[in-house]
Amino acid sequence: MKILYVCTWPDTLTDFDPKKSWSTCFGAKTLYLKGIQIEWHTHRRDTILYKICKWLPQADQIFAQLSCIKKARKYDIIYIGFDMHLLPLGLAKWCGLLETPVFIVSHFMYNTRFSKNILKKLFTIIERKIVYRNIEKISFASPSLLSLAQQDYNMPNRHHSSCFWGANTHYYNPALFQEPARRDIYIGVGQTNRDYDTLIKAFTVMEKSRCEIYTKSSQKGGGLPHNVTYINLMAGLTLNAAYKLLREKYYHCKAVLIPIKTLNDVPNGATVLVEAIAMGRPVIITKAETNFIDVEKEGVGMSVEPGDVQGWIKAISYLENHPEELEAMSSRAYRLARKYYNDDNFTRNIYLHMANLLR
């Protein structure tokens, strides 16, 4: 099997050791290590056309897809595991410009129910119709995304599958699990669409509990309660080093907190969620249909209504007063990550989907 992996980054890869990088490029590195012939492809950024058009929304995604069409004939399959809008490839298939089968891992569900913008709704309807009908195989990154996709559109049966994307469980120090966990603080992680204002209001009341908030940019200004600290995760660290640090923070915290500001059509906080359960930590997250995992159904955490300060106080207080349940959630989170939401399982699933597609 010869695979063309289409992405927008990185341009080239030299390090394939899963112990040296938190990302396996959605299983592509793992496939390579297993002896599968796979080539990275992204577009050139030094062309005059790209320099003229780079201001367009999703320009990198558009150029990466269009530039792979000519070379795709040399490969058995095109694989896209990156979170991309795939209208260009769908149109190329529709027009007969691309014959090589395409396999996609979708990290969103093209569901229009969560958008109030009429133009965005119309674009999504057009895009999903072209993509669902013309792309050979789509597998959704989690069962929750598949369920939402099925609710909103009469999707072809060949796309009714999920592949359980998850954390690279090889990227941490195995000796960490031999250490006694401190369980002394809560941590909030992430920057996109986060409602930290509501979380801070909750900790203002819970003076005996501590929270550290990790983001990738400058820290929030003054006015924080004494028990809340903002930390710039990227200060002096590479991305890989930052993720390794976060793994250690996850292991030693009481729970990982993911407050979502605006409910939309993407699973905000998905990376934080799968990384947290991989380290065996419970998750408290804002309630949303689009959450990557239903933490309450799986018994690995709790959900809070949007903007509900009292809900956050109640959830955190419950964990404070029920240490036995916190430990039970921790054990279930670890088992769930090892059974389903991990890179090894994910890679096995995508390889089987690609092999079936080529039969």
Side-chain angles (χ1 to χ4, degrees), residues 3-8 25-28 31 38-39 41 61-62 64-66 68 77-90 98 101-108 110 131 135 137-141 163 346 350 354:
I3 302 172
L4 184 65
Y5 175 68
V6 179
C7 54
T8 58
C25 293
F26 301 101
L31 288 172
I38 186 166
E39 179 182 328
H41 170 80
Q61 297 183 24
I62 294 170
Q65 291 175 61
L66 293 178
C68 83
I77 197 165
I78 295 173
Y79 169 46
I80 299 179
F82 184 75
D83 197 353
M84 273 196 206
H85 286 276
L86 294 154
L87 186 59
L89 279 186
L98 178 63
V102 177
F103 170 64
I104 296 163
V105 174
S106 183
H107 298 263
F108 50 91
Y110 297 104
V131 170
I135 297 299
K137 176 62 179 175
I138 300 172
S139 186
F140 290 86
C163 50
F346 171 76
I350 63 173
M354 285 189 275

Side-chain angles (χ1 to χ4, degrees), residues 253-257 276-277 280-284 300-301 319 326 329-330 333:
C253 75
K254 288 186 178 180
V256 178
L257 314 178
I277 66 169
R281 300 318 304 142
V283 173
I284 306 178
V300 299
L319 294 184
L326 188 149
M329 287 181 180
S330 300

Side-chain angles (χ1 to χ4, degrees), residues 136-155:
E136 282 80 3
K137 176 62 179 175
I138 300 172
S139 186
F140 290 86
S142 78
S144 63
L145 300 185
L146 169 61
S147 176
L148 285 164
Q150 291 171 317
Q151 291 173 19
D152 203 40
Y153 185 71
N154 185 21
M155 188 170 57

